[in-house]
Amino acid sequence: MSSPRKSRDPKTLRPATALVHGASVRSQFDETSEALFLTQGYLYDTMEIAEARFKGDEPGLIYSRFSNPTVGMFEKRMALLEGAEAARATASGMAAVTASLMGQVKAGDHVVAAKALFGSCLYVVEELLPRFGVESTLVEGTDLEAWRAAMRPNTRTAFLESPTNPTLEVIDIAAVAEIVHEAGATLVVDNVFATPLQQRPLALGADCVVYSATKHIDGQGRTLGGVILGNEKFVSTHIHNFLRQTGPCLSPFNAWVMLKSLETLHVRVAAQSRSAERVAEYLSGHPRIKRVLYPGRPDHPQYSIARKQMSGGGTLVAFEIDGGKKAAFAFANQLSIIGISNNLGDAKSLITHPETTTHQRLKPEQRAALGIGPGLLRLSVGLEDVEDLVEDIGRALG
Ligand SMILES: Cc1ncc(COP(=O)(O)O)c(C=O)c1O
């Protein structure tokens, strides 16, 4: 039956509308909420149809490791939001990072990455890739000359996150993309901290964007997931077959949770960013706080780059408390609303001590070079009333 309702080209929708309606596919039951297709496989009417699907002569679903209608809706909605031609969902953010790099390289290739990476990403670049004959070089992400000097004829790809975890350093994505492209390589950006609403790496020149959807995209502490986005050629050449054959696929159930979460992403990120700015302001005036790092503040070391490439300051604040690890632990242990957890982007405010948790496996000199000292704390600001958060912090500092 044809629908009397007009449909609008989803690419023309503004982000908040695309997040609610984009890429919805209705079943024959005309449900309002997107359906959860919790199925491993699909039936073929005839053997001939099965043969044609496997040969690729006929479109259609084959197996949920390759594609699933609920996962497909999530991928397409993410692609709309990011302005990407193609997206593939993965079981976690680390599955997305690993596939985005491993899918591009072969033995004899070289990879360049910024030093300030999430610990597991550093493992992939520094330990995993070299095991398969792919050399890697780590550079100071904010030093453009260092990127240029690290490029070699066999450099295949470059990788960075911005703002970085946990010190919220901001790297000039457009400038790095130019250097990387001049060398004939591609640029992959981990956009977890900025979210697709506050930073568009593809528009800045990146070839691929990866997310831990576990963070703001779920945003309510339930499911793990990841996404890889790029143009059709990048995704079909480097990602599609790698994921299909190696299997780090997103569960349809998790895709459905994420799809529903996307409906509120813009409201959550906007509210959390406003609160993060207020918390950063409060911390910056406190005598026990030595330094506050928030990309939305003029005193941030890369404020001008943040203003150029981000449309908000993000939902995270990093700060250094006077008195090192002992003071940091005592402060966090006194908090009653803000929870102690290494996760981020959640509706609940969460605080972590990077030196002893997320960045524990780094050598002390690596941590020192990244500015991860014993007094550094990373706060992910949630959806609570910000004045309750400020009071919680004030009491714990007092
Ligand atoms: C910047 C960054 N990239 C990647 C990841 C990995 O994501 P996941 O935990 O979903 O595998 C995380 C967090 O865990 C992260 O903070």
Side-chain angles (χ1 to χ4, degrees), residues 90-97 116-121 159 161-165 190-193 210-215 223-226 258 342-344 358-359 378:
T90 55
S92 68
M94 280 321 302
V97 170
L117 289 183
F118 172 61
S120 300
C121 300
F159 179 59
E161 59 184 55
S162 180
T164 61
N165 183 7
D190 182 335
N191 203 31
V192 165
F193 275 45
V210 288
Y211 289 100
S212 165
T214 316
K215 308 297 185 292
T223 54
L224 281 98
M258 306 265 183
N342 48 291
N343 207 7
L344 62 97
T358 50
H359 292 68
R378 188 199 72 194

Side-chain angles (χ1 to χ4, degrees), residues 322-338:
D322 204 12
K325 178 179 164 186
K326 200 166 166 225
F329 273 32
F331 161 69
N333 288 338
Q334 286 298 315
L335 292 165
S336 62
I337 298 171
I338 299 167

